[in-house]
Amino acid sequence: MKNKIQEKFRTLFGEEGRFFASAGRINLIGEHTDYNGGYVFPGAIDKGIMAEIALNGTDRVKVFSLDYDEFVEFGLREEDKPIQQWARYIFGVCRETIKRGGKVGGFNAVFAGDVPLGAGLSSSAAIESCFAFALNELNGNAINKFELAKIGQSTEHNYCGVNCGIMDQFASVFGKKGCLIRLDCKTLEYKYFPFDPEAAGYRLVLIDSCVKHELASSAYNDRRASCEAAAAAIRARHPEVEFLSDAKRVWLEEVRSEITEEDFLRAEYVIGEVQRVLDVCDALERNDYETAGEMMYQTHFGMSRLYEVSCEELDFLNRIARKMDVSGSRVMGGGFGGCTINLVKKELCQPFIESAVELFTTRFGHAPKIYNVVISDGARELE
Ligand code: ADP
Ligand code: MG
């Protein structure tokens, strides 16, 4: 990828720039916890975006996307927003940097990537954090890493119409090889935990169901409302409960008759999920991947039966994993489609993948996609 970028950069601009990269991400556990003030547990992956960039001394940005084989040029004022979606991520990062008092000079860039688009691995965060990091370095701004992540998040909000949380950009900026990062979504405190499944004889395998059911956004709003209703009922007795994640399981029991059964089940999932993140972190500190994997199954059960955001395709993949003694498996992301994330013993990888592809294809009429991922570095400059 680097050679192709370099070749194109030289052809277009007749010079050489500096190389930057960033990554997509996975989330091992901690789903639907972010808006409840709980924990998420993401890491950057070995699939990302790479860019060669050089300031050009003008107030124009000239970018070539190798993957779209398309050249776009734009200015740096609000009214210069490009029409191409991919270019809006870069434009948004420029604008959000400027809004934070950062300097952004015009630049030339060529970039490419290998994060599958829209598979739940956050290819958009990879672009944002790559350019946010690069512009910070090239322009000599001293914007801190958290703010770089927020530049990406605000880009999604203000230039791409996606009202996302901070996790994807956070993971993409802060990601570190061999580590997952537990982020407290309430305080934004974070802590790195060792995660090196390869060394312990495991692999992380994603199976992309390649479906996205339409329910997703209305169901998302319903789930949030349920969580807020449960939190409000608990708060009436325990004023310290700001978010649902602050509540103890027994406190939820106390208000059972005051909320709907549905709200109760949703809250039961969330409170359990917050605890599971902590349990997985403990397990990883002991190098205990089997316990971590078992927690992933519990999360899947909760997402499927209590929170009800799974779907037939994902439950099917989860059952195959269980039947084949895969160590851990669950739906990753908001639900209603996308990938399952699987923690698989090395020797089981090939038979598991073969069976999953065959059985899934027979059942649903299209093949799932397989991605092997390794936890890797996030935003950085390359040598
Ligand atoms: P994801 O879940 O992967 O973040 P999004 O829809 O948020 O899905 O982002 C995908 C968009 O990001 C693409 O439509 C494209 O505009 C941009 N994008 C991602 N990867 C690349 C790439 N390699 N080159 C150009 N644009 C990309
Ligand atoms: Mg995205």
Side-chain angles (χ1 to χ4, degrees):
M1 186 177 347
K2 190 170 177 181
N3 288 341
K4 279 193 184 158
I5 293 173
Q6 204 158 23
E7 210 175 288
K8 191 73 195 179
F9 196 92
R10 199 168 296 159
T11 310
L12 279 176
F13 306 117
E15 53 165 355
E16 274 178 25
R18 283 160 70 179
F19 276 88
F20 295 89
S22 193
R25 64 102 191 90
I26 53 100
N27 184 34
L28 189 70
I29 198 158
E31 216 67 79
H32 289 281
T33 45
D34 54 347
Y35 53 87
N36 286 300
Y39 299 109
V40 292
F41 198 37
I45 57 174
D46 58 335
K47 295 170 186 18
I49 290 287
M50 192 188 287
E52 184 173 2
I53 312 181
L55 295 178
N56 61 22
T58 74
D59 57 0
R60 308 287 294 169
V61 174
K62 301 175 183 186
V63 197
F64 188 82
S65 159
L66 271 181
D67 300 316
Y68 285 82
D69 194 21
E70 190 172 28
F71 179 83
V72 172
E73 180 173 339
F74 54 81
L76 290 163
R77 297 162 310 171
E78 196 60 29
E79 57 271 30
D80 295 326
K81 183 169 162 181
I83 7 169
Q84 292 81 355
Q85 179 60 34
W86 64 262
R88 287 189 176 182
Y89 292 104
I90 299 166
F91 175 75
V93 166
C94 296
R95 290 297 308 158
E96 291 296 333
T97 301
I98 292 167
K99 284 182 202 170
R100 284 163 176 78
K103 203 174 83 197
V104 178
F107 59 89
N108 301 332
V110 174
F111 77 106
D114 59 1
V115 189
L117 306 187
L121 300 179
S122 230
S123 63
S124 61
I127 299 189
E128 289 150 7
S129 63
C130 179
F131 279 87
F133 185 92
L135 293 184
N136 192 42
E137 296 294 316
L138 290 166
N139 292 286
N141 298 326
I143 300 174
N144 71 41
K145 280 173 101 178
F146 238 113
E147 213 51 47
L148 293 180
K150 285 188 183 152
I151 284 172
Q153 182 192 24
S154 305
T155 294
E156 300 267 356
H157 293 181
N158 300 329
Y159 299 94
C160 307
V162 179
N163 202 6
C164 60
I166 190 70
M167 175 173 79
D168 297 354
Q169 290 77 17
F170 170 82
S172 184
V173 170
F174 283 80
K176 207 153 80 175
K177 191 170 187 242
C179 290
L180 296 178
I181 325 166
R182 187 179 71 198
L183 174 68
D184 181 329
C185 295
K186 188 166 68 173
T187 62
L188 295 184
E189 283 167 347
Y190 62 92
K191 186 176 171 195
Y192 289 94
F193 286 85
F195 185 75
D196 190 0
E198 292 78 16
Y202 296 87
R203 295 235 160 88
L204 266 188
V205 179
L206 304 186
I207 305 187
D208 187 352
S209 65
C210 299
V211 298
K212 193 74 211 164
H213 294 290
E214 278 315 312
L215 252 69
S217 71
S218 69
Y220 177 79
N221 294 333
D222 293 347
R223 299 306 180 277
R224 285 192 76 138
S226 285
C227 292
E228 273 156 33
I234 299 169
R235 192 178 304 124
R237 291 162 186 254
H238 303 277
E240 66 267 46
V241 172
E242 187 188 346
F243 290 97
L244 187 53
S245 64
D246 299 322
K248 298 193 169 109
R249 177 63 222 254
V250 285
W251 296 353
L252 176 63
E253 289 295 344
E254 289 169 12
V255 301
R256 185 161 196 162
S257 62
E258 298 164 20
I259 57 178
T260 67
E261 183 61 13
E262 194 173 89
D263 292 351
F264 178 85
L265 294 176
R266 308 300 192 231
E268 186 183 11
Y269 163 76
V270 170
I271 294 171
E273 182 71 355
V274 172
Q275 185 58 46
R276 278 190 290 275
V277 179
L278 296 172
D279 292 345
V280 165
C281 291
D282 285 347
L284 290 179
E285 286 190 314
R286 300 189 309 268
N287 215 24
D288 179 359
Y289 285 81
E290 288 300 308
T291 298
E294 194 49 44
M295 293 292 159
M296 293 166 73
Y297 278 109
Q298 286 184 27
T299 293
H300 188 88
F301 176 86
M303 286 179 81
S304 178
R305 306 295 178 78
L306 306 176
Y307 218 63
E308 297 186 280
V309 291
S310 185
C311 60
E312 215 186 323
E313 292 88 347
L314 295 169
D315 286 345
F316 186 82
L317 289 170
N318 186 259
R319 276 199 305 278
I320 296 172
R322 190 55 122 177
K323 253 188 219 147
M324 293 193 70
D325 276 332
V326 166
S327 303
S329 178
R330 70 174 192 87
V331 41
M332 190 177 80
F336 302 110
C339 294
T340 62
I341 177 167
N342 304 274
L343 183 63
V344 192
K345 285 221 177 82
K346 254 178 207 159
E347 61 274 19
L348 206 60
C349 275
Q350 207 194 336
F352 170 55
I353 290 168
E354 280 172 12
S355 297
V357 169
E358 190 188 323
L359 294 167
F360 187 97
T361 308
T362 308
R363 172 76 181 73
F364 297 105
H366 69 271
K369 290 193 182 130
I370 308 294
Y371 312 117
N372 287 289
V373 296
V374 177
I375 302 304
S376 304
D377 289 326
R380 63 203 184 276
E381 181 164 7
L382 301 175
E383 287 311 307

